[in-house]
mmCIF file of all heavy atoms in Angstrom:
data_model
loop_
_atom_site.group_PDB
_atom_site.id
_atom_site.type_symbol
_atom_site.label_atom_id
_atom_site.label_comp_id
_atom_site.label_asym_id
_atom_site.label_seq_id
_atom_site.Cartn_x
_atom_site.Cartn_y
_atom_site.Cartn_z
ATOM 1 N N ARG I 41 -15.668 13.805 1.707
ATOM 2 C CA ARG I 41 -16.497 14.591 2.622
ATOM 3 C C ARG I 41 -17.714 13.773 3.044
ATOM 4 O O ARG I 41 -18.152 12.882 2.318
ATOM 5 C CB ARG I 41 -16.966 15.859 1.925
ATOM 6 C CG ARG I 41 -15.838 16.828 1.667
ATOM 7 C CD ARG I 41 -16.359 18.075 0.952
ATOM 8 N NE ARG I 41 -15.291 19.002 0.688
ATOM 9 C CZ ARG I 41 -14.426 18.892 -0.301
ATOM 10 N NH1 ARG I 41 -14.500 17.879 -1.123
ATOM 11 N NH2 ARG I 41 -13.477 19.782 -0.483
ATOM 12 N N ALA I 42 -18.258 14.118 4.188
ATOM 13 C CA ALA I 42 -19.467 13.448 4.657
ATOM 14 C C ALA I 42 -20.517 13.477 3.549
ATOM 15 O O ALA I 42 -20.713 14.494 2.884
ATOM 16 C CB ALA I 42 -19.992 14.129 5.912
ATOM 17 N N GLY I 43 -21.147 12.340 3.355
ATOM 18 C CA GLY I 43 -22.166 12.199 2.315
ATOM 19 C C GLY I 43 -21.659 11.540 1.051
ATOM 20 O O GLY I 43 -22.441 11.204 0.170
ATOM 21 N N ASP I 44 -20.334 11.336 0.938
ATOM 22 C CA ASP I 44 -19.793 10.690 -0.258
ATOM 23 C C ASP I 44 -20.104 9.192 -0.235
ATOM 24 O O ASP I 44 -20.005 8.540 0.800
ATOM 25 C CB ASP I 44 -18.281 10.893 -0.357
ATOM 26 C CG ASP I 44 -17.903 12.290 -0.822
ATOM 27 O OD1 ASP I 44 -18.774 13.010 -1.336
ATOM 28 O OD2 ASP I 44 -16.719 12.647 -0.666
ATOM 29 N N HIS I 45 -20.466 8.687 -1.398
ATOM 30 C CA HIS I 45 -20.788 7.262 -1.585
ATOM 31 C C HIS I 45 -19.992 6.796 -2.789
ATOM 32 O O HIS I 45 -20.267 7.188 -3.912
ATOM 33 C CB HIS I 45 -22.294 7.112 -1.824
ATOM 34 C CG HIS I 45 -22.734 5.724 -2.109
ATOM 35 N ND1 HIS I 45 -23.824 5.453 -2.904
ATOM 36 C CD2 HIS I 45 -22.257 4.518 -1.719
ATOM 37 C CE1 HIS I 45 -24.000 4.150 -2.984
ATOM 38 N NE2 HIS I 45 -23.055 3.555 -2.276
ATOM 39 N N ILE I 134 -25.731 5.289 11.558
ATOM 40 C CA ILE I 134 -25.290 6.683 11.462
ATOM 41 C C ILE I 134 -25.765 7.461 12.682
ATOM 42 O O ILE I 134 -24.991 8.202 13.306
ATOM 43 C CB ILE I 134 -25.778 7.324 10.152
ATOM 44 C CG1 ILE I 134 -25.090 6.670 8.948
ATOM 45 C CG2 ILE I 134 -25.553 8.832 10.166
ATOM 46 C CD1 ILE I 134 -25.742 6.997 7.609
ATOM 47 N N GLN I 135 -27.027 7.296 13.036
ATOM 48 C CA GLN I 135 -27.568 7.999 14.199
ATOM 49 C C GLN I 135 -26.909 7.541 15.490
ATOM 50 O O GLN I 135 -26.631 8.359 16.373
ATOM 51 C CB GLN I 135 -29.090 7.828 14.264
ATOM 52 C CG GLN I 135 -29.819 8.519 13.129
ATOM 53 C CD GLN I 135 -29.383 9.963 12.940
ATOM 54 O OE1 GLN I 135 -29.296 10.748 13.877
ATOM 55 N NE2 GLN I 135 -29.074 10.315 11.692
ATOM 56 N N ARG I 138 -23.539 9.147 15.823
ATOM 57 C CA ARG I 138 -23.689 10.535 16.289
ATOM 58 C C ARG I 138 -24.000 10.577 17.782
ATOM 59 O O ARG I 138 -23.430 11.382 18.525
ATOM 60 C CB ARG I 138 -24.782 11.259 15.495
ATOM 61 C CG ARG I 138 -24.481 11.461 14.014
ATOM 62 C CD ARG I 138 -23.412 12.437 13.803
ATOM 63 N NE ARG I 138 -23.898 13.748 14.213
ATOM 64 C CZ ARG I 138 -23.353 14.877 13.895
ATOM 65 N NH1 ARG I 138 -22.274 14.892 13.167
ATOM 66 N NH2 ARG I 138 -23.835 16.018 14.308
ATOM 67 N N HIS I 143 -18.273 12.157 14.866
ATOM 68 C CA HIS I 143 -18.665 13.170 13.885
ATOM 69 C C HIS I 143 -19.315 12.531 12.659
ATOM 70 O O HIS I 143 -20.239 13.084 12.068
ATOM 71 C CB HIS I 143 -17.433 13.994 13.469
ATOM 72 C CG HIS I 143 -17.671 14.927 12.346
ATOM 73 N ND1 HIS I 143 -18.469 16.051 12.471
ATOM 74 C CD2 HIS I 143 -17.260 14.894 11.064
ATOM 75 C CE1 HIS I 143 -18.518 16.677 11.310
ATOM 76 N NE2 HIS I 143 -17.798 15.996 10.445
ATOM 77 N N CYS I 144 -18.821 11.369 12.295
ATOM 78 C CA CYS I 144 -19.218 10.751 11.037
ATOM 79 C C CYS I 144 -19.174 9.233 11.184
ATOM 80 O O CYS I 144 -18.448 8.710 12.025
ATOM 81 C CB CYS I 144 -18.231 11.208 9.952
ATOM 82 S SG CYS I 144 -18.608 10.698 8.283
ATOM 83 N N VAL I 171 -28.947 4.063 -1.366
ATOM 84 C CA VAL I 171 -27.930 4.590 -0.448
ATOM 85 C C VAL I 171 -27.624 6.037 -0.809
ATOM 86 O O VAL I 171 -27.621 6.914 0.057
ATOM 87 C CB VAL I 171 -26.638 3.726 -0.481
ATOM 88 C CG1 VAL I 171 -25.510 4.423 0.268
ATOM 89 C CG2 VAL I 171 -26.897 2.351 0.098
ATOM 90 N N THR I 172 -27.399 6.288 -2.088
ATOM 91 C CA THR I 172 -27.076 7.647 -2.527
ATOM 92 C C THR I 172 -28.221 8.608 -2.237
ATOM 93 O O THR I 172 -28.008 9.700 -1.700
ATOM 94 C CB THR I 172 -26.738 7.658 -4.037
ATOM 95 O OG1 THR I 172 -25.600 6.825 -4.246
ATOM 96 C CG2 THR I 172 -26.440 9.056 -4.522
ATOM 97 N N ASP I 173 -29.440 8.209 -2.553
ATOM 98 C CA ASP I 173 -30.591 9.104 -2.406
ATOM 99 C C ASP I 173 -31.035 9.282 -0.962
ATOM 100 O O ASP I 173 -31.239 10.399 -0.500
ATOM 101 C CB ASP I 173 -31.774 8.584 -3.233
ATOM 102 C CG ASP I 173 -31.517 8.660 -4.728
ATOM 103 O OD1 ASP I 173 -30.630 9.445 -5.157
ATOM 104 O OD2 ASP I 173 -32.187 7.930 -5.481
ATOM 105 N N ARG I 174 -31.183 8.187 -0.235
ATOM 106 C CA ARG I 174 -31.753 8.259 1.107
ATOM 107 C C ARG I 174 -30.793 8.785 2.158
ATOM 108 O O ARG I 174 -31.221 9.352 3.159
ATOM 109 C CB ARG I 174 -32.252 6.878 1.542
ATOM 110 C CG ARG I 174 -33.448 6.373 0.781
ATOM 111 C CD ARG I 174 -34.768 6.652 1.474
ATOM 112 N NE ARG I 174 -34.896 6.071 2.779
ATOM 113 C CZ ARG I 174 -35.282 4.823 3.031
ATOM 114 N NH1 ARG I 174 -35.574 4.012 2.052
ATOM 115 N NH2 ARG I 174 -35.369 4.397 4.257
ATOM 116 N N LEU I 175 -29.502 8.579 1.946
ATOM 117 C CA LEU I 175 -28.543 9.013 2.958
ATOM 118 C C LEU I 175 -27.916 10.369 2.638
ATOM 119 O O LEU I 175 -27.075 10.847 3.389
ATOM 120 C CB LEU I 175 -27.460 7.946 3.151
ATOM 121 C CG LEU I 175 -27.952 6.581 3.613
ATOM 122 C CD1 LEU I 175 -26.784 5.635 3.825
ATOM 123 C CD2 LEU I 175 -28.806 6.674 4.859
ATOM 124 N N ARG I 176 -28.341 10.966 1.537
ATOM 125 C CA ARG I 176 -27.807 12.283 1.154
ATOM 126 C C ARG I 176 -27.957 13.260 2.321
ATOM 127 O O ARG I 176 -28.989 13.324 2.965
ATOM 128 C CB ARG I 176 -28.563 12.804 -0.068
ATOM 129 C CG ARG I 176 -28.008 14.138 -0.552
ATOM 130 C CD ARG I 176 -28.645 14.566 -1.856
ATOM 131 N NE ARG I 176 -28.081 13.715 -2.912
ATOM 132 C CZ ARG I 176 -28.822 13.002 -3.763
ATOM 133 N NH1 ARG I 176 -30.130 13.042 -3.702
ATOM 134 N NH2 ARG I 176 -28.245 12.272 -4.690
ATOM 135 N N GLY I 177 -26.900 13.981 2.605
ATOM 136 C CA GLY I 177 -26.922 14.994 3.651
ATOM 137 C C GLY I 177 -26.654 14.455 5.049
ATOM 138 O O GLY I 177 -26.584 15.228 5.989
ATOM 139 N N GLN I 178 -26.514 13.151 5.188
ATOM 140 C CA GLN I 178 -26.243 12.586 6.505
ATOM 141 C C GLN I 178 -24.726 12.491 6.726
ATOM 142 O O GLN I 178 -23.961 12.451 5.768
ATOM 143 C CB GLN I 178 -26.892 11.212 6.632
ATOM 144 C CG GLN I 178 -28.405 11.306 6.585
ATOM 145 C CD GLN I 178 -29.056 10.162 7.297
ATOM 146 O OE1 GLN I 178 -28.576 9.700 8.325
ATOM 147 N NE2 GLN I 178 -30.169 9.694 6.765
ATOM 148 N N PRO I 179 -24.309 12.449 7.980
ATOM 149 C CA PRO I 179 -22.873 12.387 8.292
ATOM 150 C C PRO I 179 -22.304 10.973 8.138
ATOM 151 O O PRO I 179 -22.138 10.239 9.110
ATOM 152 C CB PRO I 179 -22.807 12.867 9.740
ATOM 153 C CG PRO I 179 -24.128 12.460 10.310
ATOM 154 C CD PRO I 179 -25.121 12.586 9.188
ATOM 155 N N TYR I 180 -22.038 10.584 6.909
ATOM 156 C CA TYR I 180 -21.496 9.263 6.635
ATOM 157 C C TYR I 180 -20.600 9.326 5.406
ATOM 158 O O TYR I 180 -20.663 10.257 4.605
ATOM 159 C CB TYR I 180 -22.620 8.249 6.385
ATOM 160 C CG TYR I 180 -23.097 8.249 4.950
ATOM 161 C CD1 TYR I 180 -22.719 7.226 4.084
ATOM 162 C CD2 TYR I 180 -23.875 9.279 4.445
ATOM 163 C CE1 TYR I 180 -23.124 7.238 2.752
ATOM 164 C CE2 TYR I 180 -24.285 9.294 3.128
ATOM 165 C CZ TYR I 180 -23.912 8.279 2.278
ATOM 166 O OH TYR I 180 -24.298 8.291 0.966
ATOM 167 N N LEU I 181 -19.759 8.330 5.264
ATOM 168 C CA LEU I 181 -19.000 8.053 4.044
ATOM 169 C C LEU I 181 -19.208 6.578 3.762
ATOM 170 O O LEU I 181 -19.140 5.764 4.679
ATOM 171 C CB LEU I 181 -17.504 8.297 4.242
ATOM 172 C CG LEU I 181 -17.056 9.735 4.384
ATOM 173 C CD1 LEU I 181 -15.628 9.784 4.903
ATOM 174 C CD2 LEU I 181 -17.143 10.427 3.054
#
Side-chain angles (χ1 to χ4, degrees):
R41 291 179 181 79
D44 284 345
H45 176 210
I134 293 166
Q135 293 310 312
R138 295 290 293 196
H143 172 69
C144 186
V171 169
T172 299
D173 293 339
R174 292 264 300 276
L175 300 182
R176 183 173 286 126
Q178 295 206 37
Y180 85 104
L181 289 166

